[in-house]
Amino acid sequence: YKTQAKIAVPSSYFLDLREIYKTTTTQQYTADILTLRDANGNTLTLQNVDETNNISMAGPIAGGRDQAAVFGDGVWVHIFIIYNPTTGDTSNVGSETATAPTLTGALAGYTFYCRVGAIYVYDAGDGLGNRITLSYQMGDRVTYNTNWIKWDTNNNSYTSIPLTAVVPATAKMVHGSMGLSAGTTAHKMAVASNSGGTIKVGALCDAQGTGHTDYGVSGSKNFTLPLITPQTIWWKTETTDNIYAVGIEGFTDDL
């Protein structure tokens, strides 16, 4: 596909891409413009895309999963917009693979596709089956309620924090907060993109009671870091006291 100026538009190009949480099993994706590609590298552009995926629909089926079996517990599912050039039908499908969905069976005619996001799917064990973590996406940035993934004793050397439950392997940046969960004295802490701490964000956290307690910590500071190692960041603290907290608020996906 080329613009009027004869400039090639790359695959996955989008304008005003959004994802909206609808129910525990459905997610809506809209875009003013979205460029799809096929296995041979050919591209086409769709306008006014509006598709809702339902992870509970057994596949392979348009609007549901690309597999018959339910998605695993605690996995990242990637949503693709798909297009059938023969029928002119636009739809979507969820897949555990980030590179390309499995377009077989009822999906065989959908030869063009574009990944538009990733959702975390889990089973709470209450008999209701798999559900989606509530999130909102604008462009390539995904935001959700702060997930406090670390709230325990650390030390003054960098220690890794696994992000597998809050950031997909396709993410290129992570967004979060850090601060103190208790204590009356300000303390230093830092989060980093690598174990050596050469790419880091540091903070002198306020004492307990003087910061933003609505976030669960005092004196919280926001941070954004590149994910050099997929789904992993590092942190260190001034003391070994059990008073530090790191929360993840979202990520920037590599779409």
Side-chain angles (χ1 to χ4, degrees):
Y1 176 81
K2 292 185 178 181
T3 66
Q4 290 182 340
K6 304 304 180 182
I7 299 174
V9 177
S11 172
S12 298
Y13 174 81
F14 55 80
L15 287 177
D16 199 22
L17 172 64
R18 301 189 186 200
E19 164 263 303
I20 304 169
Y21 176 92
K22 302 299 288 184
T23 71
T24 57
T25 60
T26 59
Q27 206 92 332
Q28 180 184 14
Y29 289 84
T30 65
D32 289 348
I33 293 177
L34 187 65
T35 302
L36 286 65
R37 67 178 177 88
D38 65 9
N40 297 318
N42 301 308
T43 63
L44 61 82
T45 299
L46 301 177
Q47 295 183 349
N48 302 320
V49 175
D50 188 346
E51 292 291 331
T52 297
N53 179 264
N54 188 340
I55 63 168
S56 67
M57 291 176 57
I61 187 172
R65 305 190 296 260
D66 70 347
Q67 62 186 50
V70 297
F71 292 128
D73 176 22
V75 299
W76 285 95
V77 172
H78 303 273
I79 306 301
F80 293 82
I81 300 299
I82 54 178
Y83 179 78
N84 186 324
T86 301
T87 63
D89 182 61
T90 301
S91 191
N92 69 88
V93 70
S95 176
E96 291 189 29
T97 302
T99 52
T102 302
L103 300 173
T104 58
L107 299 173
Y110 294 90
T111 54
F112 285 82
Y113 56 89
C114 175
R115 191 175 75 88
V116 291
I119 54 177
Y120 189 70
V121 174
Y122 67 98
D123 189 333
D126 54 7
L128 299 179
N130 284 352
R131 64 193 70 180
I132 302 167
T133 296
L134 194 156
S135 64
Y136 181 80
Q137 176 181 329
M138 181 164 299
D140 57 2
R141 174 151 181 174
V142 177
T143 303
Y144 38 71
N145 293 335
T146 304
N147 190 323
W148 296 104
I149 60 171
K150 198 74 173 179
W151 198 308
D152 56 23
T153 302
N154 203 340
N155 52 51
N156 57 8
S157 62
Y158 278 103
T159 304
S160 64
I161 301 177
L163 305 179
T164 52
V166 289
V167 170
T170 55
K172 56 186 178 182
M173 301 191 78
V174 60
H175 313 284
S177 299
M178 57 179 167
L180 298 179
S181 61
T184 58
T185 305
H187 287 283
K188 298 175 183 176
M189 66 183 302
V191 290
S193 291
N194 57 353
S195 59
T198 55
I199 302 175
K200 67 177 185 251
V201 175
L204 179 64
C205 297
D206 296 336
Q208 178 72 12
T210 63
H212 302 288
T213 55
D214 289 344
Y215 294 97
V217 297
S218 291
S220 61
K221 177 179 180 178
N222 294 331
F223 65 84
T224 293
L225 287 171
L227 288 166
I228 299 175
T229 299
Q231 301 178 296
T232 307
I233 59 174
W234 284 258
W235 77 322
K236 74 172 182 178
T237 59
E238 184 178 6
T239 71
T240 58
D241 297 332
N242 186 19
I243 59 174
Y244 302 94
V246 173
I248 304 302
E249 301 168 352
F251 58 91
T252 299
D253 207 348
D254 189 9
L255 296 179

